[in-house]
Amino acid sequence: SQKIEQNSEALNIQEGKTATLTCNYTNYSPAYLQWYRQDPGRGPVFLLLIRENEKEKRKERLKVTFDTTLKQSLFHITASQPADSATYLCAVLSAAGNKLTFGGGTRVLVKP
Amino acid sequence: NAGVTQTPKFQVLKTGQSMTLQCAQDMNHEYMSWYRQDPGMGLRLIHYSVGAGITDQGEVPNGYNVSRSTTEDFPLRLLSAAPSQTSVYFCASSPEKNTEAFFGQGTRLTVV
């Protein structure tokens, strides 16, 4: 089964800097990979989806890359703000597209 | 627009009791799923459904039952609660395969 690995250590970063999070998967290369944001006591909220034939995807200050050779996705938050402080989850869709497998998430803390 | 609604938000059960966690969505989504989230474990899929009348097991189905009699509702039943089922439970829905998931606010369940 697919395993998704994210850095479990919290990422502390200064406001205005770029935060970079890593997501590694161990089995087959998924056709689709997603990133979610989760705030304490809330459900995850979808941020971005990237397809295997897309190297990079951007949405406002967010950028996601997808390297099927390395079996890795990177998630960047540029010009980070304290409001970006949250846990970020990586998830991959099954081959049938009907199930999501999540990583454990990386907590980001942006300090003013 | 309510999205995905879960009830109750909090519940305490005694070992051996049964209960049903409710999940309803008003977006006419075909796909619905139940996850549990434990510290350090990320989100793990319990059961999922790709349409009314169709359900299947996820990664951790033991101790849980589901049914999908309508497109809108996807209840999760605990037949005989155990302390190991203490967790936060999230319901999610998606319009179709290979698309983003919309999550509810979660149900925090404690089994004593």
Side-chain angles (χ1 to χ4, degrees), chain A residues 32 34 36 38 41-46 49 89 93-104, chain B residues 31 33 35 37 41-43 45 48 50 57-58 90 96-101 103-106 108:
Chain A
Y32 301 84
Q34 302 181 356
Y36 290 79
Q38 187 174 25
R42 316 273 299 200
V45 175
F46 172 80
L49 178 150
L89 304 167
L93 278 156
S94 63
N98 54 9
K99 293 189 292 184
L100 276 170
T101 301
F102 282 86
Chain B
Y31 288 63
S33 304
Y35 297 85
Q37 188 172 36
M41 300 289 289
L43 284 150
L45 182 64
Y48 67 101
V50 299
Q57 296 181 351
F90 289 100
E96 56 188 13
K97 68 176 184 178
N98 296 326
T99 58
E100 67 196 85
F103 283 81
Q105 296 281 51
R108 184 174 292 274

